[in-house]
Amino acid sequence: MTLRKAALAFLAVVMALVAAPMFAQDQGQPPSFGPDQLDQMVSRIALYPDPLLAQILAAATYPDQIPDAARWADQHHYLTGQALADAIQGDQLPWDPSVQALLPFPSVLDMMASDMNWTTDLGNAFLAQQQDVMDAVQRERRKARDFGYLRSNGQIIVDGGPYITVMPVNPGFVVVPYYDPRIVFFAPRPGFVVGGAIRFGFGVTIGGFFRPWGWGYDRFDWDRHGVIINNEPWRRSWGNRREYEHPYPGVRRYAPAERAPERHELHQRSERERAAPREGRRAPEEHGRDGHERR
């Protein structure tokens, strides 16, 4: 071996030794949350319909993308159905399709963006402890059912088998329930009317417009502790989180530099529009699909 080759080989070894700790630090140790921590973590979403809950858990694994997605959803909230699906595709958004899947739900993204510590912990827990997260959801659902709060109605079907499922009555219309975790997971006080503790007055029409983002093909395999997103098992974990991409054949993944110029009017939701889903009721329509204010 020549002196030059020996020097290069030595340099390569030194660089590898220096890079190894950096890589290990970048990978980080997986988090470890206890059952009580997980119960509290999932409490605000445990009673959501299964398809919406699955999408939230998947999107939470990309917490750095949530604030920008929430802002986009807020500014384009007046678009619905095909117009919204076309806008998502046309704007060449750089976020993971699992995050884009929540763009029809500005209130959900707003909830996630407003508490990034919670969103980050939820995503990390789902990456590192998927089965434990699912068990926590079941524990919370069981409490709400046993105390009489969670039951079937005109918007959801609650199946009380060995695992409690919550499914929309109409698969094309996904409700976002509003409830107080400090109430529905505890025994009701005497005289309290449990029927009004969970409100189902706010929902989003999904239909076939959002099929490319997995809607209509998202569910839980509760028996096997599996999550199905876009009709495929969600295999993103703590160990492969920097490489693995869930298959979305109908959605192109754009780089940030490829983002298209904005072609839509931007209208943030008013306080009335923001308050409605938080109170479990239909949001007032203050803008038409063209973005013009309704009178």
Side-chain angles (χ1 to χ4, degrees):
M1 179 181 294
T2 66
L3 182 61
R4 183 173 181 273
K5 288 183 177 179
L8 290 175
F10 176 76
L11 180 60
V13 171
V14 172
M15 291 179 65
L17 291 173
V18 171
M22 295 175 61
F23 177 77
Q25 183 178 6
D26 185 58
Q27 287 295 97
Q29 293 297 317
S32 179
F33 298 98
D36 291 343
Q37 291 175 295
L38 292 173
D39 288 357
Q40 183 176 10
M41 190 183 299
V42 304
S43 63
R44 68 178 75 176
I45 55 173
L47 306 187
Y48 282 23
D50 283 17
L52 178 57
L53 175 61
Q55 290 282 27
I56 291 173
L57 292 174
T61 66
Y62 296 91
D64 58 311
Q65 300 178 10
I66 296 298
D68 285 343
R71 190 176 305 109
W72 191 97
D74 188 68
Q75 294 172 337
H76 297 78
H77 71 278
Y78 62 90
L79 297 174
T80 59
Q82 190 64 60
L84 177 57
D86 290 343
I88 295 172
Q89 294 276 30
D91 280 9
Q92 299 178 187
L93 302 174
W95 314 310
D96 188 81
S98 65
V99 176
Q100 294 182 30
L102 291 178
L103 292 174
F105 297 83
S107 64
V108 172
L109 281 169
D110 182 58
M111 171 193 69
M112 298 174 74
S114 66
D115 191 349
M116 287 303 301
N117 288 333
W118 171 79
T119 299
T120 301
D121 283 347
L122 180 69
N124 287 340
F126 189 54
L127 286 169
Q129 299 173 257
Q130 178 176 307
Q131 294 188 7
D132 295 337
V133 169
M134 294 178 66
D135 286 342
V137 169
Q138 285 296 319
R139 285 193 296 270
E140 295 300 278
R141 286 182 173 183
R142 196 168 296 112
K143 294 175 192 174
R145 182 200 62 184
D146 292 349
F147 292 134
Y149 298 108
L150 182 63
R151 52 193 177 187
S152 298
N153 54 40
Q155 292 79 34
I156 61 168
I157 300 172
V158 179
D159 186 350
Y163 295 98
I164 300 174
T165 61
V166 180
M167 298 297 294
V169 169
N170 176 3
F173 183 75
V174 179
V175 293
V176 183
Y178 172 80
Y179 59 90
D180 188 340
R182 297 169 298 182
I183 293 177
V184 299
F185 301 120
F186 299 91
R189 63 180 182 272
F192 183 80
V193 180
V194 299
I198 308 176
R199 302 175 194 169
F200 294 93
F202 174 73
V204 175
T205 299
I206 293 298
F209 308 114
F210 302 103
R211 169 65 189 90
W213 292 275
W215 287 106
Y217 296 87
D218 303 316
R219 60 192 183 277
F220 287 92
D221 185 350
W222 293 106
D223 289 335
R224 297 178 177 84
H225 282 82
V227 182
I228 310 299
I229 300 290
N230 199 25
N231 220 29
E232 294 280 348
W234 182 262
R235 295 191 175 94
R236 190 165 192 253
S237 66
W238 184 263
N240 68 11
R241 68 193 188 281
R242 303 193 188 283
E243 299 87 20
Y244 177 74
E245 291 184 349
H246 194 76
Y248 286 84
V251 181
R252 178 179 168 184
R253 296 172 187 267
Y254 291 95
E258 296 179 286
R259 187 164 179 175
E262 181 61 63
R263 294 189 292 265
H264 308 92
E265 294 188 34
L266 303 181
H267 296 278
Q268 291 186 336
R269 289 177 297 164
S270 68
E271 266 316 304
R272 283 203 313 157
E273 289 173 308
R274 291 177 186 277
R278 290 197 298 261
E279 297 168 359
R281 56 185 176 84
R282 183 182 298 275
E285 295 184 9
E286 297 187 3
H287 298 90
R289 290 178 61 179
D290 57 1
H292 294 127
E293 186 174 355
R294 294 185 184 277
R295 300 291 183 181

